Amino acid sequence: MQTPARCPALLIAAPASGQGKTTVTAALARLHTRRGLRVQVFKCGPDFLDPHWHQLASGQPVHQLDLWMNGEADCRQRLHAAAQSNDLILIEGVMGLFDGTPSAADLAQHFGVPVLAVVDASAMAGTFGALAFGLQHYRVDMPWAGVLANRVGSERHAQMLRDGLRDSADWMGALMRVSHGEEPAGASKKGAALLPERHLGLVAAHELADSAQRLDAAADALAATPLGQMSPQDLQRWAVDFPAPEHAEPVPALLQGRTVAVGRDAAFCFTYAANLQTLEQLGARVVFFSPLHDAALPDCDAVWLPGGYPELHTDRIAANTGMKASLMAHVLQRKPLWAECGGMMALFESITHTDGTPHPAWGLLPGHVRMQKRLAALGPQQLVVDGRTLRGHTFHYSTAQSDAPVVSRTSRPDEPVAADAGEALYRLGSIHASYFHAWFPSSPVAVARLLGGVTA
């Protein structure tokens, strides 16, 4: 019987989105990795972009933790395994500490992980202390590590913030305002942020030539704070005993002997590390290809075209007629193709930008996509495939109009499927496509069904 595993752990949270959680989490991971510690980073809730930074910072794959999407048992297993082989566990929260159901606070309390609050203090003084006090005491018995002030203007400003705390022991330091480098295409024009953003979130680390230097700059800044100056022995104050997982049934090898080709490049990059792990557990051989640059698919039995930013690469998509022909040949052979969100968008006939300009796409599915400046959908979703439920989420800034057959729809947790709600699951020949992003570990059998595996 397995025993609990003990390891220092922090959940980095904030009162709202945009406070600097990702920067602080990545900086802390980078700082302690440079010092020779083995750091495992997790991301609370569905997110494809922040993990790119955390993986670069820690040198290890980053997995999601969500009490609904993963389920408690999966979260328990991942945390226990991480605690057995690492010196520090960092979990980046999602939105504000208490936002969402389940929230980052729910995860912290369920596993007893201390919360480090990051607060954008650029436009406050004494109120900083009130925010910190509220985050700590809003719920009874919230595990608590302290508070870090972000985007601080000066040493005097930092002192004002510290003076506002009820308990000076909560002070983990101040990060001054910092910027770095030029902004990549499509990034927000709010200024040269250390980790730049665009409409779907942070720009992925692999898109920036100087991403490692940006992380080092953030780590160097954090090293000057009380938090950054903590030794491995100091970190033991936040040690957590993670319970051993219950016995889990092994994943059936339903894709044994099959090769699954996974799109991976700047336009198609929204891929959970755990999804790739699930494909391998199913017995699949996973190979990668670039839908933007490769002239043809690799030799494969099934294709997974994940989400990403096809709207930023419409010219390249239209120009790659070789890939279009190869995808079409794959489908004509009735080989499975599972397309998620951005992957689905590229399969339609055109993508119209927010300026009203249409751009041709691959045309394997009838219909057209239109980008918009406001979110079209956001939140947890689930999809039933042959009686098996896949959990995941939706998050997109475009809408699609299509005559392709809709064979099912997603629904929100604990809600029935409705004809006028959720995301459509299109099926045309061997293509399954939806705006829905699936968390493969939630139902490997359903994944095998989408990719043509034996499910009997």
Side-chain angles (χ1 to χ4, degrees):
M1 182 176 179
Q2 294 191 74
T3 59
R6 187 172 178 83
C7 183
L10 285 173
L11 189 146
I12 293 87
S17 298
Q19 303 283 296
K21 297 188 302 291
T22 306
T23 299
V24 171
T25 304
L28 196 56
R30 183 72 159 192
L31 182 63
H32 286 295
T33 299
R34 290 191 321 197
R35 291 172 176 172
L37 299 188
R38 186 172 173 84
V39 182
Q40 178 65 66
V41 187
F42 292 96
K43 172 63 183 178
C44 183
D47 192 300
F48 296 105
L49 296 166
D50 297 355
H52 285 282
W53 289 99
H54 301 328
Q55 180 167 337
L56 180 61
S58 66
Q60 298 200 74
V62 175
H63 294 293
Q64 276 55 43
L65 292 176
D66 185 280
L67 287 171
W68 178 77
M69 188 173 76
N70 299 58
E72 193 275 347
D74 185 85
C75 291
R76 179 194 292 244
Q77 185 276 324
R78 293 182 191 280
L79 285 167
H80 185 265
Q84 289 181 306
S85 57
N86 289 277
D87 304 301
L88 176 64
I89 293 172
L90 300 176
I91 307 169
E92 186 195 345
V94 58
M95 301 182 292
L97 177 58
F98 303 101
D99 296 335
T101 305
S103 65
D106 293 328
L107 187 75
Q109 288 196 296
H110 188 87
F111 290 104
V113 179
V115 172
L116 170 70
V118 177
V119 177
D120 180 350
S122 58
M124 67 177 69
T127 304
F128 174 81
L131 266 176
F133 185 84
L135 291 171
Q136 181 180 4
H137 297 286
Y138 181 73
R139 285 191 186 175
V140 177
D141 297 327
M142 174 64 68
W144 187 250
V147 60
L148 182 79
N150 193 25
R151 301 175 188 136
V152 177
S154 66
E155 292 298 333
R156 185 173 185 278
H157 185 200
Q159 188 60 51
M160 293 168 64
L161 298 169
R162 183 173 185 176
D163 290 345
L165 294 174
R166 292 280 186 91
D167 186 348
S168 60
D170 288 340
W171 179 252
M172 291 291 111
L175 285 176
M176 301 299 168
R177 294 191 188 100
V178 61
S179 64
H180 185 90
E182 298 298 323
E183 300 303 312
S188 167
K189 302 302 181 184
K190 295 179 181 178
L194 197 64
L195 305 188
E197 300 182 44
R198 57 165 69 101
H199 60 288
L200 293 181
L202 289 179
V203 173
H206 61 76
E207 294 187 59
L208 300 170
D210 63 346
S211 54
Q213 291 90 328
R214 289 173 185 254
L215 283 175
D216 280 329
D220 291 344
L222 192 65
T225 67
L227 175 66
Q229 292 168 0
M230 293 179 70
S231 68
Q233 293 72 32
D234 295 330
L235 294 173
Q236 291 301 318
R237 75 172 74 165
W238 296 321
V240 177
D241 289 315
F242 291 101
E246 298 177 0
H247 174 73
E249 292 297 322
V251 175
L254 300 175
L255 296 178
Q256 189 68 47
R258 298 178 67 83
T259 297
V260 177
V262 180
R264 185 167 68 176
D265 56 26
F268 305 94
C269 54
F270 290 0
T271 308
Y272 292 128
N275 283 11
L276 298 174
Q277 184 181 67
T278 298
L279 292 178
E280 292 172 347
Q281 290 171 339
L282 283 163
R285 173 177 172 260
V286 177
V287 296
F288 297 98
F289 71 100
S290 170
L292 288 181
H293 303 292
D294 291 346
L297 291 170
D299 185 27
C300 64
D301 302 291
V303 170
W304 172 27
L305 202 56
Y309 292 104
E311 67 272 20
L312 299 181
H313 303 273
T314 48
D315 290 346
R316 183 65 227 172
I317 288 171
N320 196 352
T321 55
M323 180 55 64
K324 174 182 177 178
S326 186
L327 288 166
M328 182 66 75
H330 178 89
V331 172
L332 289 175
Q333 294 176 57
R334 302 198 64 77
K335 292 182 177 180
L337 193 166
W338 166 236
E340 289 184 356
C341 200
M344 177 185 72
M345 291 164 61
L347 294 183
F348 282 121
E349 295 171 73
S350 70
I351 299 173
T352 297
H353 289 180
T354 53
D355 64 2
T357 305
H359 296 263
W362 283 324
L364 272 71
L365 287 174
H368 305 273
V369 172
R370 178 175 291 274
M371 300 300 303
Q372 57 187 41
K373 294 181 179 180
R374 298 178 61 184
L375 265 172
L378 169 67
Q381 297 282 309
Q382 57 190 10
L383 175 68
V384 177
V385 179
D386 284 355
R388 306 286 183 143
T389 301
L390 268 173
R391 294 184 176 188
H393 78 287
T394 184
F395 180 41
H396 54 97
Y397 277 79
S398 67
T399 58
Q401 297 293 326
S402 177
D403 294 327
V406 176
V407 295
S408 184
R409 300 192 76 89
T410 64
S411 63
R412 295 184 62 82
D414 302 319
E415 291 184 4
V417 176
D420 58 349
E423 301 290 1
L425 174 65
Y426 298 104
R427 181 176 182 181
L428 187 63
S430 62
I431 298 174
H432 285 86
S434 179
Y435 273 120
F436 171 69
H437 291 285
W439 171 255
F440 288 4
S442 64
S443 181
V445 175
V447 174
R449 178 68 183 88
L450 290 172
L451 294 174
V454 177
T455 57

